[in-house]
Structure formats: structure tokens, C-alpha cells
Amino acid sequence: MISGRRGRLPAPGGNAQFDRLTLIGMVHLPPLPGSPRSNQSIETVVNRARSEAEFLAGAGFDAVIVENFGDAPFAAESVEPETVAAMAVVVDHVVRAVDIPVGVNVLRNDAVSALGVAAVTGASFIRVNVLSGVLATDQGMVAGRAHELLRRRTAISAKVKIAADVHVKHAVPISQPNIVLAAEETAHRAGADALIVSGTGTGAATDLATARRVAEAVPDRPLWIGSGVTARTVRDYLEVADAVIVGTSLKRGNRTMMPLDARKVRAFVSAAKASRRARKK
């Protein structure tokens, strides 16, 4: 496993495997049944997701996140039952296919459904775009509902971890524009197990200085970089963060919904490994 940020305080109640994640690959699903652009059977969706997850795991990634990226335009919060069902089917196949942790993100912000999918399929964690605060998005105002999510996790006795975005991409923070304060609130008041800092949009580079400020302010939570990481920049990001989430830069033509480019995946993992060797010297 490729090591990220060093010297971080241990998270309270931490999970060793979760805390050690470094390379997290995205499995962007095509439109699921019921979504406006859906034109593939669930079998086709499952086969592609399983194949991509297996390739990422085999290449050296520590975890993958399964996300309904193709379902745009997204519901702000609760998604339709058929979306939850499709996500559960896909995630179940991915969990069975790989021996690395699997995460779930139900866009735009249906954290309770993501938790349910993760709990019944054996996925390890969920990504929550807005766990704390209020943000203006292209879906309208989205408010964090940490109280509901964490109480639900307790009620069903789920071991699922929560990785939460701070000032998530494609959004403008309303309730707390200071990202350091927003990070502290997301970790310590909303109960996130890991924090994610991203750029302004999908594939956009994350500001290193901002990530560093968050890492310094909240040293007892893993920090993940949520967008814009490439083979050329992964070393810089892993000097600041514990893990990087990467998707778009691994795709053909750097287009998010295109298939994985095998050469880009291997080059990315090689660059990350080189970063580890350089830090050990």
C-alpha cells in the first residue's frame, strides 16, 4: 500500500484499513434504469462496473468508489427507489469481485440510501457530498443531515465509514464560507470519519494550499483529495493528504464517462509508487 500524509494523529475509533487508504479509484456508472439518459440494461452496467473495479484493484488501487455519475440531472436529496435498487445490485457485484474496500456515493446527496446500500452489500464506506452546512448547487439548496445519517447508522448497527466533502465541488458554501471552520464542523460536529477537499468541478485541480490548511486544522481525520489529481501531480498531493480519489484523469481523452485507459492507470500507479520511494529517502 502506498503511504500518504505522515504524522497524522490517529482518528478516534479509527479503522486501520480505512485509515491507510491512499489510492482510491472511481467507478463512474452510466445512467441507471429510470434516469433520463438510461439506455443500457442493468446487466451491462454491472459488467462494466465489475470490470473497471477489477482492473483498478489489479493495478494497485487500495479502494474504489461506485457512483451514479451518469444519472444527471440529479435529485438534490432522496433518489428514486429504482436507483437505490440498481445501486445495490451493482455494488453487490463489485464487492464480490474485488478484495479491496468499496465505497458508495449516491448523487447528489442521498447519504441515507448510500448507507443502506453499503450496509446490505458489505461496502466499507460512503461518500457524502454535503454532511454539514448548507450549499447552493445546480440542484438547489442542499443541506447536511448528519444527525439523521449517524443515527441511522447506529440504528442498523452498520460499520460503514463516512467520508464527507468539505465545500464540495459544483457548489457554493452558504452557511460557512471558511473552509477550515467548515472542515472542523464536518469532522467534530457532524461526525465525518474522513474529509474530502476538491476543486471547483469534476476533474478540476484541488488547491494544494487549501488542502494543507484543512490537514493542519483537522489532524485527527484522514484527508482525501477529491478531484484533479494526475500522474504528474499525485506526488505533490500525497505530501499533503492521506489519499487521492482519481477518476477523470484515468479515462480515455480525460472524459469522465469514457472507459478506463489502461496506460493512464498504470502510469498513475507508477507515479504514486515513485512518490513513496522518494519520501523514504
Side-chain angles (χ1 to χ4, degrees), residues 210-272:
T210 299
R212 186 175 289 107
R213 289 168 58 206
V214 171
E216 292 171 351
V218 190
D220 62 343
R221 295 293 192 279
L223 175 64
W224 299 356
I225 301 299
S227 71
V229 184
T230 68
R232 291 183 178 181
T233 61
V234 64
R235 175 175 178 173
D236 295 332
Y237 284 118
L238 287 178
E239 288 291 342
V240 174
D242 297 281
V244 294
I245 302 172
V246 59
T248 300
S249 70
L250 303 180
K251 304 297 185 68
R252 296 176 188 170
N254 293 330
R255 295 174 60 186
T256 306
M257 291 306 297
M258 290 293 285
L260 289 170
D261 184 319
R263 288 177 298 179
K264 289 185 176 182
V265 173
R266 295 188 183 102
F268 188 91
V269 174
S270 294

Short mmCIF file of all heavy atoms in Angstrom, two decimals, residues 210-272:
data_model
loop_
_atom_site.label_atom_id
_atom_site.label_comp_id
_atom_site.label_asym_id
_atom_site.label_seq_id
_atom_site.Cartn_x
_atom_site.Cartn_y
_atom_site.Cartn_z
N THR A 210 -5.06 25.11 0.09
CA THR A 210 -6.31 24.90 0.82
C THR A 210 -6.31 23.54 1.50
O THR A 210 -6.70 23.40 2.66
CB THR A 210 -7.51 25.01 -0.13
OG1 THR A 210 -7.54 26.32 -0.70
CG2 THR A 210 -8.82 24.74 0.58
N ALA A 211 -5.87 22.52 0.78
CA ALA A 211 -5.80 21.17 1.35
C ALA A 211 -4.88 21.15 2.56
O ALA A 211 -5.17 20.51 3.58
CB ALA A 211 -5.33 20.18 0.29
N ARG A 212 -3.78 21.86 2.46
CA ARG A 212 -2.82 21.88 3.57
C ARG A 212 -3.44 22.54 4.81
O ARG A 212 -3.25 22.07 5.94
CB ARG A 212 -1.56 22.62 3.15
CG ARG A 212 -0.45 22.59 4.19
CD ARG A 212 0.83 23.22 3.68
NE ARG A 212 1.47 22.39 2.66
CZ ARG A 212 1.50 22.67 1.36
NH1 ARG A 212 0.91 23.79 0.91
NH2 ARG A 212 2.09 21.88 0.51
N ARG A 213 -4.21 23.60 4.60
CA ARG A 213 -4.87 24.28 5.72
C ARG A 213 -5.85 23.35 6.42
O ARG A 213 -5.93 23.31 7.65
CB ARG A 213 -5.58 25.53 5.22
CG ARG A 213 -4.66 26.67 4.80
CD ARG A 213 -5.44 27.73 4.05
NE ARG A 213 -6.53 28.27 4.87
CZ ARG A 213 -7.64 28.80 4.36
NH1 ARG A 213 -7.82 28.82 3.04
NH2 ARG A 213 -8.56 29.27 5.15
N VAL A 214 -6.59 22.59 5.64
CA VAL A 214 -7.54 21.65 6.22
C VAL A 214 -6.81 20.55 6.98
O VAL A 214 -7.21 20.17 8.09
CB VAL A 214 -8.46 21.06 5.13
CG1 VAL A 214 -9.30 19.91 5.69
CG2 VAL A 214 -9.35 22.14 4.54
N ALA A 215 -5.74 20.02 6.39
CA ALA A 215 -4.96 18.97 7.04
C ALA A 215 -4.41 19.43 8.38
O ALA A 215 -4.41 18.68 9.38
CB ALA A 215 -3.82 18.52 6.13
N GLU A 216 -3.94 20.65 8.43
CA GLU A 216 -3.37 21.18 9.66
C GLU A 216 -4.45 21.46 10.70
O GLU A 216 -4.22 21.29 11.91
CB GLU A 216 -2.58 22.46 9.37
CG GLU A 216 -1.31 22.20 8.55
CD GLU A 216 -0.65 23.49 8.07
OE1 GLU A 216 -1.28 24.57 8.24
OE2 GLU A 216 0.46 23.41 7.54
N ALA A 217 -5.63 21.87 10.25
CA ALA A 217 -6.70 22.21 11.18
C ALA A 217 -7.38 20.99 11.77
O ALA A 217 -7.87 21.03 12.91
CB ALA A 217 -7.74 23.08 10.47
N VAL A 218 -7.41 19.90 11.01
CA VAL A 218 -8.10 18.68 11.47
C VAL A 218 -7.13 17.49 11.32
O VAL A 218 -7.28 16.66 10.43
CB VAL A 218 -9.40 18.43 10.67
CG1 VAL A 218 -10.21 17.31 11.32
CG2 VAL A 218 -10.22 19.69 10.54
N PRO A 219 -6.14 17.40 12.21
CA PRO A 219 -5.12 16.36 12.07
C PRO A 219 -5.59 14.97 12.49
O PRO A 219 -4.86 13.99 12.28
CB PRO A 219 -4.00 16.85 12.99
CG PRO A 219 -4.71 17.64 14.05
CD PRO A 219 -5.85 18.32 13.34
N ASP A 220 -6.78 14.87 13.08
CA ASP A 220 -7.24 13.56 13.56
C ASP A 220 -8.23 12.89 12.61
O ASP A 220 -8.93 11.96 13.00
CB ASP A 220 -7.87 13.70 14.96
CG ASP A 220 -9.10 14.59 14.96
OD1 ASP A 220 -9.28 15.36 14.00
OD2 ASP A 220 -9.88 14.50 15.93
N ARG A 221 -8.30 13.36 11.37
CA ARG A 221 -9.12 12.72 10.36
C ARG A 221 -8.29 12.53 9.09
O ARG A 221 -7.52 13.43 8.71
CB ARG A 221 -10.36 13.55 10.00
CG ARG A 221 -11.36 13.75 11.12
CD ARG A 221 -12.04 12.45 11.53
NE ARG A 221 -13.19 12.71 12.39
CZ ARG A 221 -13.13 12.95 13.68
NH1 ARG A 221 -11.94 12.98 14.29
NH2 ARG A 221 -14.21 13.14 14.40
N PRO A 222 -8.43 11.40 8.40
CA PRO A 222 -7.80 11.27 7.10
C PRO A 222 -8.29 12.37 6.16
O PRO A 222 -9.48 12.70 6.16
CB PRO A 222 -8.25 9.89 6.61
CG PRO A 222 -8.63 9.15 7.86
CD PRO A 222 -9.19 10.19 8.78
N LEU A 223 -7.39 12.91 5.36
CA LEU A 223 -7.75 13.90 4.36
C LEU A 223 -7.56 13.29 2.98
O LEU A 223 -6.49 12.78 2.66
CB LEU A 223 -6.88 15.16 4.48
CG LEU A 223 -7.09 16.21 3.39
CD1 LEU A 223 -8.50 16.78 3.45
CD2 LEU A 223 -6.06 17.32 3.49
N TRP A 224 -8.60 13.35 2.18
CA TRP A 224 -8.57 12.83 0.82
C TRP A 224 -8.71 13.98 -0.17
O TRP A 224 -9.49 14.92 0.05
CB TRP A 224 -9.71 11.84 0.57
CG TRP A 224 -9.71 10.63 1.45
CD1 TRP A 224 -8.77 10.27 2.38
CD2 TRP A 224 -10.72 9.61 1.49
NE1 TRP A 224 -9.12 9.09 2.99
CE2 TRP A 224 -10.31 8.66 2.47
CE3 TRP A 224 -11.91 9.40 0.80
CZ2 TRP A 224 -11.07 7.54 2.77
CZ3 TRP A 224 -12.66 8.27 1.10
CH2 TRP A 224 -12.24 7.35 2.07
N ILE A 225 -7.98 13.92 -1.26
CA ILE A 225 -8.13 14.88 -2.36
C ILE A 225 -9.17 14.33 -3.31
O ILE A 225 -9.08 13.19 -3.77
CB ILE A 225 -6.79 15.10 -3.09
CG1 ILE A 225 -5.72 15.61 -2.11
CG2 ILE A 225 -6.97 16.08 -4.25
CD1 ILE A 225 -6.05 16.94 -1.45
N GLY A 226 -10.18 15.15 -3.65
CA GLY A 226 -11.34 14.64 -4.35
C GLY A 226 -11.41 14.88 -5.84
O GLY A 226 -12.31 14.35 -6.50
N SER A 227 -10.49 15.65 -6.40
CA SER A 227 -10.56 15.87 -7.85
C SER A 227 -9.25 16.44 -8.37
O SER A 227 -8.47 17.03 -7.63
CB SER A 227 -11.70 16.84 -8.20
OG SER A 227 -11.40 18.17 -7.79
N GLY A 228 -9.05 16.23 -9.68
CA GLY A 228 -7.97 16.89 -10.39
C GLY A 228 -6.58 16.29 -10.23
O GLY A 228 -5.60 16.90 -10.66
N VAL A 229 -6.47 15.10 -9.63
CA VAL A 229 -5.16 14.50 -9.44
C VAL A 229 -4.75 13.76 -10.70
O VAL A 229 -5.52 13.01 -11.29
CB VAL A 229 -5.16 13.53 -8.25
CG1 VAL A 229 -3.75 12.99 -8.01
CG2 VAL A 229 -5.69 14.22 -7.01
N THR A 230 -3.51 13.96 -11.13
CA THR A 230 -2.96 13.29 -12.31
C THR A 230 -1.66 12.61 -11.94
O THR A 230 -1.13 12.77 -10.83
CB THR A 230 -2.69 14.30 -13.44
OG1 THR A 230 -1.59 15.16 -13.05
CG2 THR A 230 -3.92 15.15 -13.74
N ALA A 231 -1.11 11.85 -12.88
CA ALA A 231 0.17 11.19 -12.64
C ALA A 231 1.27 12.23 -12.36
O ALA A 231 2.21 11.96 -11.60
CB ALA A 231 0.55 10.33 -13.84
N ARG A 232 1.15 13.40 -12.93
CA ARG A 232 2.16 14.44 -12.73
C ARG A 232 2.04 15.12 -11.37
O ARG A 232 3.03 15.64 -10.84
CB ARG A 232 2.04 15.51 -13.83
CG ARG A 232 2.46 15.02 -15.22
CD ARG A 232 2.39 16.15 -16.22
NE ARG A 232 2.84 15.73 -17.55
CZ ARG A 232 2.90 16.54 -18.60
NH1 ARG A 232 2.54 17.82 -18.48
NH2 ARG A 232 3.32 16.07 -19.77
N THR A 233 0.84 15.13 -10.79
CA THR A 233 0.63 15.88 -9.55
C THR A 233 0.42 15.01 -8.32
O THR A 233 0.35 15.53 -7.21
CB THR A 233 -0.58 16.82 -9.69
OG1 THR A 233 -1.77 16.04 -9.95
CG2 THR A 233 -0.38 17.81 -10.83
N VAL A 234 0.32 13.69 -8.49
CA VAL A 234 -0.01 12.84 -7.36
C VAL A 234 1.03 12.95 -6.24
O VAL A 234 0.68 12.91 -5.05
CB VAL A 234 -0.20 11.37 -7.81
CG1 VAL A 234 1.09 10.78 -8.37
CG2 VAL A 234 -0.73 10.52 -6.66
N ARG A 235 2.30 13.11 -6.60
CA ARG A 235 3.33 13.23 -5.57
C ARG A 235 3.08 14.44 -4.68
O ARG A 235 3.16 14.36 -3.46
CB ARG A 235 4.71 13.32 -6.21
CG ARG A 235 5.83 13.57 -5.21
CD ARG A 235 7.19 13.54 -5.88
NE ARG A 235 8.25 13.83 -4.92
CZ ARG A 235 9.55 13.74 -5.21
NH1 ARG A 235 9.94 13.35 -6.41
NH2 ARG A 235 10.46 14.00 -4.28
N ASP A 236 2.76 15.58 -5.30
CA ASP A 236 2.51 16.80 -4.52
C ASP A 236 1.32 16.62 -3.58
O ASP A 236 1.36 17.05 -2.42
CB ASP A 236 2.25 17.98 -5.46
CG ASP A 236 3.48 18.34 -6.30
OD1 ASP A 236 4.60 18.09 -5.82
OD2 ASP A 236 3.30 18.85 -7.41
N TYR A 237 0.27 16.00 -4.09
CA TYR A 237 -0.93 15.84 -3.26
C TYR A 237 -0.70 14.88 -2.10
O TYR A 237 -1.20 15.09 -0.99
CB TYR A 237 -2.11 15.37 -4.11
CG TYR A 237 -2.71 16.47 -4.97
CD1 TYR A 237 -2.69 16.40 -6.36
CD2 TYR A 237 -3.29 17.60 -4.37
CE1 TYR A 237 -3.24 17.41 -7.13
CE2 TYR A 237 -3.83 18.61 -5.14
CZ TYR A 237 -3.81 18.51 -6.52
OH TYR A 237 -4.35 19.52 -7.28
N LEU A 238 0.07 13.83 -2.33
CA LEU A 238 0.31 12.87 -1.26
C LEU A 238 1.29 13.38 -0.21
O LEU A 238 1.46 12.76 0.83
CB LEU A 238 0.78 11.54 -1.84
CG LEU A 238 -0.30 10.72 -2.54
CD1 LEU A 238 0.28 9.44 -3.12
CD2 LEU A 238 -1.47 10.41 -1.61
N GLU A 239 1.93 14.50 -0.47
CA GLU A 239 2.73 15.15 0.56
C GLU A 239 1.83 15.85 1.57
O GLU A 239 2.23 16.12 2.71
CB GLU A 239 3.69 16.16 -0.07
CG GLU A 239 4.85 15.54 -0.83
CD GLU A 239 5.84 14.85 0.08
OE1 GLU A 239 5.84 15.12 1.30
OE2 GLU A 239 6.62 14.02 -0.42
N VAL A 240 0.61 16.16 1.14
CA VAL A 240 -0.33 16.93 1.97
C VAL A 240 -1.45 16.04 2.52
O VAL A 240 -1.86 16.18 3.67
CB VAL A 240 -0.93 18.09 1.16
CG1 VAL A 240 -2.02 18.82 1.95
CG2 VAL A 240 0.15 19.07 0.74
N ALA A 241 -1.95 15.14 1.69
CA ALA A 241 -3.13 14.35 2.02
C ALA A 241 -2.79 12.89 2.25
O ALA A 241 -1.72 12.41 1.87
CB ALA A 241 -4.16 14.47 0.88
N ASP A 242 -3.74 12.19 2.87
CA ASP A 242 -3.57 10.76 3.11
C ASP A 242 -3.92 9.95 1.88
O ASP A 242 -3.37 8.86 1.66
CB ASP A 242 -4.47 10.32 4.26
CG ASP A 242 -4.09 10.98 5.56
OD1 ASP A 242 -3.12 10.52 6.18
OD2 ASP A 242 -4.74 11.96 5.95
N ALA A 243 -4.88 10.43 1.08
CA ALA A 243 -5.35 9.65 -0.06
C ALA A 243 -5.80 10.59 -1.17
O ALA A 243 -6.11 11.77 -0.94
CB ALA A 243 -6.50 8.73 0.35
N VAL A 244 -5.85 10.03 -2.37
CA VAL A 244 -6.38 10.77 -3.53
C VAL A 244 -7.47 9.93 -4.17
O VAL A 244 -7.35 8.70 -4.28
CB VAL A 244 -5.28 11.10 -4.55
CG1 VAL A 244 -4.27 12.07 -3.97
CG2 VAL A 244 -4.56 9.83 -5.03
N ILE A 245 -8.53 10.61 -4.57
CA ILE A 245 -9.60 9.97 -5.34
C ILE A 245 -9.39 10.38 -6.79
O ILE A 245 -9.31 11.58 -7.09
CB ILE A 245 -10.99 10.43 -4.86
CG1 ILE A 245 -11.19 10.12 -3.38
CG2 ILE A 245 -12.09 9.76 -5.68
CD1 ILE A 245 -12.46 10.71 -2.80
N VAL A 246 -9.30 9.41 -7.68
CA VAL A 246 -9.00 9.74 -9.07
C VAL A 246 -9.93 9.00 -10.00
O VAL A 246 -10.24 7.82 -9.79
CB VAL A 246 -7.52 9.43 -9.40
CG1 VAL A 246 -7.20 7.97 -9.17
CG2 VAL A 246 -7.17 9.83 -10.82
N GLY A 247 -10.41 9.71 -11.02
CA GLY A 247 -11.30 9.11 -12.00
C GLY A 247 -11.07 9.65 -13.39
O GLY A 247 -10.59 8.96 -14.28
N THR A 248 -11.39 10.93 -13.57
CA THR A 248 -11.37 11.53 -14.90
C THR A 248 -10.02 11.42 -15.58
O THR A 248 -9.93 11.10 -16.77
CB THR A 248 -11.79 13.01 -14.81
OG1 THR A 248 -13.11 13.09 -14.25
CG2 THR A 248 -11.78 13.67 -16.18
N SER A 249 -8.93 11.64 -14.86
CA SER A 249 -7.61 11.62 -15.50
C SER A 249 -7.17 10.22 -15.91
O SER A 249 -6.16 10.07 -16.60
CB SER A 249 -6.55 12.24 -14.57
OG SER A 249 -6.30 11.41 -13.45
N LEU A 250 -7.93 9.20 -15.50
CA LEU A 250 -7.61 7.82 -15.89
C LEU A 250 -8.43 7.36 -17.10
O LEU A 250 -8.25 6.24 -17.58
CB LEU A 250 -7.90 6.86 -14.73
CG LEU A 250 -7.18 7.14 -13.41
CD1 LEU A 250 -7.59 6.09 -12.38
CD2 LEU A 250 -5.68 7.17 -13.59
N LYS A 251 -9.31 8.24 -17.60
CA LYS A 251 -10.21 7.85 -18.67
C LYS A 251 -9.67 8.26 -20.03
O LYS A 251 -8.82 9.15 -20.16
CB LYS A 251 -11.58 8.51 -18.45
CG LYS A 251 -12.22 8.20 -17.10
CD LYS A 251 -12.51 6.74 -16.93
CE LYS A 251 -13.25 6.45 -15.63
NZ LYS A 251 -14.62 6.96 -15.60
N ARG A 252 -10.16 7.62 -21.05
CA ARG A 252 -9.77 7.96 -22.41
C ARG A 252 -10.17 9.40 -22.70
O ARG A 252 -11.32 9.79 -22.49
CB ARG A 252 -10.45 7.03 -23.41
CG ARG A 252 -10.04 5.56 -23.27
CD ARG A 252 -10.82 4.69 -24.23
NE ARG A 252 -10.58 3.27 -23.97
CZ ARG A 252 -11.27 2.28 -24.53
NH1 ARG A 252 -12.24 2.58 -25.41
NH2 ARG A 252 -11.01 1.02 -24.23
N GLY A 253 -9.21 10.17 -23.19
CA GLY A 253 -9.48 11.56 -23.53
C GLY A 253 -9.80 12.44 -22.34
O GLY A 253 -10.30 13.55 -22.50
N ASN A 254 -9.50 11.96 -21.13
CA ASN A 254 -9.82 12.71 -19.90
C ASN A 254 -11.30 13.09 -19.83
O ASN A 254 -11.66 14.15 -19.31
CB ASN A 254 -8.95 13.98 -19.79
CG ASN A 254 -7.49 13.64 -19.57
OD1 ASN A 254 -7.16 12.63 -18.97
ND2 ASN A 254 -6.61 14.49 -20.08
N ARG A 255 -12.14 12.21 -20.33
CA ARG A 255 -13.59 12.42 -20.29
C ARG A 255 -14.18 11.45 -19.28
O ARG A 255 -14.00 10.23 -19.39
CB ARG A 255 -14.20 12.24 -21.67
CG ARG A 255 -13.73 13.29 -22.68
CD ARG A 255 -14.24 12.99 -24.07
NE ARG A 255 -15.69 12.96 -24.11
CZ ARG A 255 -16.40 12.61 -25.19
NH1 ARG A 255 -15.77 12.22 -26.30
NH2 ARG A 255 -17.72 12.62 -25.16
N THR A 256 -14.91 11.98 -18.32
CA THR A 256 -15.31 11.22 -17.14
C THR A 256 -16.08 9.95 -17.46
O THR A 256 -15.89 8.92 -16.80
CB THR A 256 -16.14 12.11 -16.20
OG1 THR A 256 -15.40 13.29 -15.90
CG2 THR A 256 -16.46 11.39 -14.90
N MET A 257 -16.95 9.98 -18.45
CA MET A 257 -17.78 8.82 -18.73
C MET A 257 -17.19 7.86 -19.74
O MET A 257 -17.81 6.84 -20.08
CB MET A 257 -19.17 9.27 -19.19
CG MET A 257 -20.00 9.92 -18.10
SD MET A 257 -20.16 8.89 -16.62
CE MET A 257 -21.05 7.47 -17.29
N MET A 258 -15.99 8.12 -20.19
CA MET A 258 -15.33 7.20 -21.10
C MET A 258 -14.72 6.03 -20.32
O MET A 258 -14.52 6.10 -19.11
CB MET A 258 -14.24 7.92 -21.89
CG MET A 258 -14.78 8.92 -22.91
SD MET A 258 -15.68 8.10 -24.25
CE MET A 258 -14.30 7.42 -25.19
N PRO A 259 -14.40 4.93 -21.00
CA PRO A 259 -13.76 3.79 -20.32
C PRO A 259 -12.37 4.14 -19.80
O PRO A 259 -11.75 5.13 -20.22
CB PRO A 259 -13.69 2.73 -21.42
CG PRO A 259 -14.72 3.12 -22.43
CD PRO A 259 -14.75 4.61 -22.40
N LEU A 260 -11.89 3.32 -18.88
CA LEU A 260 -10.53 3.50 -18.37
C LEU A 260 -9.51 3.33 -19.49
O LEU A 260 -9.68 2.51 -20.39
CB LEU A 260 -10.24 2.47 -17.28
CG LEU A 260 -10.95 2.64 -15.94
CD1 LEU A 260 -10.73 1.40 -15.08
CD2 LEU A 260 -10.45 3.88 -15.22
N ASP A 261 -8.43 4.12 -19.39
CA ASP A 261 -7.29 3.98 -20.28
C ASP A 261 -6.22 3.20 -19.51
O ASP A 261 -5.66 3.71 -18.53
CB ASP A 261 -6.78 5.36 -20.69
CG ASP A 261 -5.65 5.31 -21.69
OD1 ASP A 261 -4.77 4.45 -21.55
OD2 ASP A 261 -5.65 6.15 -22.62
N ALA A 262 -5.95 1.98 -19.90
CA ALA A 262 -5.05 1.11 -19.16
C ALA A 262 -3.67 1.74 -18.97
O ALA A 262 -3.06 1.63 -17.89
CB ALA A 262 -4.92 -0.23 -19.86
N ARG A 263 -3.17 2.42 -19.99
CA ARG A 263 -1.84 3.04 -19.88
C ARG A 263 -1.84 4.15 -18.83
O ARG A 263 -0.88 4.30 -18.07
CB ARG A 263 -1.40 3.57 -21.23
CG ARG A 263 -1.02 2.49 -22.24
CD ARG A 263 -0.65 3.08 -23.58
NE ARG A 263 -1.77 3.80 -24.19
CZ ARG A 263 -1.71 4.43 -25.35
NH1 ARG A 263 -0.56 4.45 -26.03
NH2 ARG A 263 -2.76 5.05 -25.85
N LYS A 264 -2.92 4.93 -18.78
CA LYS A 264 -3.01 6.01 -17.79
C LYS A 264 -3.09 5.45 -16.38
O LYS A 264 -2.49 6.00 -15.44
CB LYS A 264 -4.21 6.90 -18.09
CG LYS A 264 -4.06 7.76 -19.32
CD LYS A 264 -5.26 8.68 -19.47
CE LYS A 264 -5.09 9.63 -20.64
NZ LYS A 264 -6.23 10.56 -20.77
N VAL A 265 -3.83 4.37 -16.22
CA VAL A 265 -3.95 3.76 -14.89
C VAL A 265 -2.59 3.29 -14.42
O VAL A 265 -2.17 3.56 -13.27
CB VAL A 265 -4.95 2.59 -14.92
CG1 VAL A 265 -4.93 1.84 -13.59
CG2 VAL A 265 -6.36 3.09 -15.22
N ARG A 266 -1.86 2.58 -15.26
CA ARG A 266 -0.55 2.07 -14.86
C ARG A 266 0.44 3.21 -14.61
O ARG A 266 1.25 3.14 -13.67
CB ARG A 266 -0.03 1.12 -15.94
CG ARG A 266 -0.88 -0.14 -16.11
CD ARG A 266 -0.23 -1.14 -17.04
NE ARG A 266 -1.08 -2.31 -17.25
CZ ARG A 266 -1.82 -2.52 -18.33
NH1 ARG A 266 -1.80 -1.64 -19.33
NH2 ARG A 266 -2.59 -3.60 -18.43
N ALA A 267 0.38 4.25 -15.44
CA ALA A 267 1.28 5.39 -15.24
C ALA A 267 0.98 6.09 -13.92
O ALA A 267 1.90 6.53 -13.21
CB ALA A 267 1.14 6.37 -16.40
N PHE A 268 -0.28 6.17 -13.57
CA PHE A 268 -0.67 6.83 -12.32
C PHE A 268 -0.13 6.05 -11.12
O PHE A 268 0.46 6.63 -10.21
CB PHE A 268 -2.19 6.95 -12.24
CG PHE A 268 -2.65 7.77 -11.07
CD1 PHE A 268 -2.85 9.14 -11.20
CD2 PHE A 268 -2.89 7.18 -9.83
CE1 PHE A 268 -3.26 9.90 -10.11
CE2 PHE A 268 -3.28 7.93 -8.75
CZ PHE A 268 -3.49 9.29 -8.89
N VAL A 269 -0.34 4.74 -11.12
CA VAL A 269 0.14 3.93 -10.01
C VAL A 269 1.66 3.97 -9.92
O VAL A 269 2.23 4.07 -8.83
CB VAL A 269 -0.36 2.48 -10.15
CG1 VAL A 269 0.26 1.58 -9.08
CG2 VAL A 269 -1.89 2.43 -10.07
N SER A 270 2.34 3.95 -11.05
CA SER A 270 3.80 4.04 -11.06
C SER A 270 4.27 5.36 -10.46
O SER A 270 5.24 5.38 -9.68
CB SER A 270 4.33 3.89 -12.49
OG SER A 270 4.08 2.60 -12.99
N ALA A 271 3.59 6.45 -10.80
CA ALA A 271 3.97 7.76 -10.27
C ALA A 271 3.75 7.81 -8.76
O ALA A 271 4.55 8.38 -8.01
CB ALA A 271 3.16 8.85 -10.96
N ALA A 272 2.66 7.20 -8.29
CA ALA A 272 2.38 7.19 -6.86
C ALA A 272 3.44 6.36 -6.12
O ALA A 272 3.89 6.75 -5.03
CB ALA A 272 0.99 6.64 -6.60
#
